[in-house]
Amino acid sequence: SHAEGGAPGRRDGPSGASEEEISQNTRTTEFSVADFPDPEDRRCVVCLGEYEEGDTLRYLRCNHHFHVECVDEWLKRNKTCPLC
């Protein structure tokens, strides 16, 4: 199909997001237990690991949050939130 075309190595369409798109459409913050009263909310659903003090989290527009490293990998392949 024509949609698969384009320059080699370039991703168009709904597949992945560029680093620029990711940084423009999200915000990052440093994790602190004090900000997350619910222990169930203190984990990254991408890697299933618990957040630790000082971890950098990325919030998407939907307000879901993940480890920066985990969700950036995800977003480069798939522009949608892993939870939505």
Side-chain angles (χ1 to χ4, degrees), residues 44-49 66 70-71 74 82:
C44 174
V45 299
V46 178
C47 73
L48 302 178
F66 313 90
C70 299
V71 80
W74 171 278

Side-chain angles (χ1 to χ4, degrees), residues 1-77:
S1 80
H2 195 67
E4 252 84 61
R10 210 177 132 191
R11 295 198 199 137
D12 290 321
S15 53
S18 68
E19 288 184 26
E20 188 179 351
E21 287 175 306
I22 294 169
S23 65
Q24 285 174 347
N25 291 295
T26 64
R27 65 185 174 88
T28 56
T29 187
E30 197 170 286
F31 174 75
S32 171
V33 171
D35 298 334
F36 291 81
D38 181 357
E40 288 295 304
D41 205 26
R42 297 178 193 160
R43 68 175 57 234
C44 174
V45 299
V46 178
C47 73
L48 302 178
E50 292 202 11
Y51 299 141
E52 296 180 20
E53 286 291 327
D55 283 357
T56 304
L57 308 187
R58 185 177 300 285
Y59 278 82
L60 306 187
R61 284 184 167 169
C62 55
N63 263 340
H64 289 129
H65 46 80
F66 313 90
H67 288 121
V68 164
E69 316 72 62
C70 299
V71 80
D72 285 10
E73 264 319 294
W74 171 278
L75 292 170
K76 286 173 189 170
R77 293 189 192 121

